[in-house]
Amino acid sequence: MIILVQVAGAIYGLLAVVFGAFGAHALKKIFTDDQLKNFETGVKYQMYHAIVLLFVGANYSFSTTLEVVIAYAFIIGVFLFSFSIYGLCISSAKGKKLRFLGPITPLGGLSLVIGWFLLLYNFLQT
């Protein structure tokens, strides 16, 4: 489990840098200001949570269900939140907005909030 969490954090961090550069250069030409701002929000949240995953992977043994749920809440939350934003922005810029992604974004955000709440709860338990 430790390796999974650390690898997920490293992959999310790597992709955040790639997507950030891609958005700042290639997508800047085809996105509206609002689309670019939304895309950048997805990148920022992805990077923040990549760092959190690296922290969690380095500091937890995943010997409790709570520690495992915290990791999965962040991994799933980043995927649902950031990647749905990317899909919405890119599809909207191409004139074929994938509206089904709209409700997925807040589910990802909720998963991230749950991860943070459980992390706080875990800290207060020690």
Side-chain angles (χ1 to χ4, degrees):
M1 183 72 190
I2 293 171
I3 297 297
L4 169 69
V5 175
Q6 291 173 332
V7 167
I11 288 172
Y12 280 161
L14 176 131
L15 290 177
V17 173
V18 170
F19 293 162
F22 188 63
H25 300 289
L27 296 178
K28 190 174 187 178
K29 298 171 186 171
I30 63 168
F31 276 2
T32 65
D33 287 341
D34 281 343
Q35 290 166 335
L36 191 58
K37 184 178 175 183
N38 290 337
F39 192 87
E40 289 171 351
T41 296
V43 170
K44 283 190 274 186
Y45 274 66
Q46 183 176 334
M47 181 57 83
Y48 299 152
H49 291 91
I51 295 166
V52 170
L53 283 167
L54 294 174
F55 168 83
V56 168
N59 289 290
Y60 286 166
S61 63
F62 301 99
S63 57
T64 68
T65 301
L66 180 59
E67 291 174 351
V68 172
V69 172
I70 289 168
Y72 278 121
F74 287 130
I75 291 169
I76 292 166
V78 168
F79 185 78
L80 294 177
F81 183 82
S82 292
F83 285 79
S84 65
I85 288 176
Y86 304 148
L88 283 166
C89 291
I90 292 169
S91 64
S92 180
K94 296 200 175 261
K96 297 180 181 183
K97 189 172 185 177
L98 300 175
R99 296 195 183 279
F100 72 90
L101 293 174
I104 293 174
T105 307
L107 292 175
L110 178 61
S111 184
L112 295 173
V113 169
I114 289 168
W116 282 106
F117 174 79
L118 293 175
L119 188 64
L120 173 63
Y121 177 79
N122 196 43
F123 289 159
L124 294 175
Q125 292 299 309
T126 55

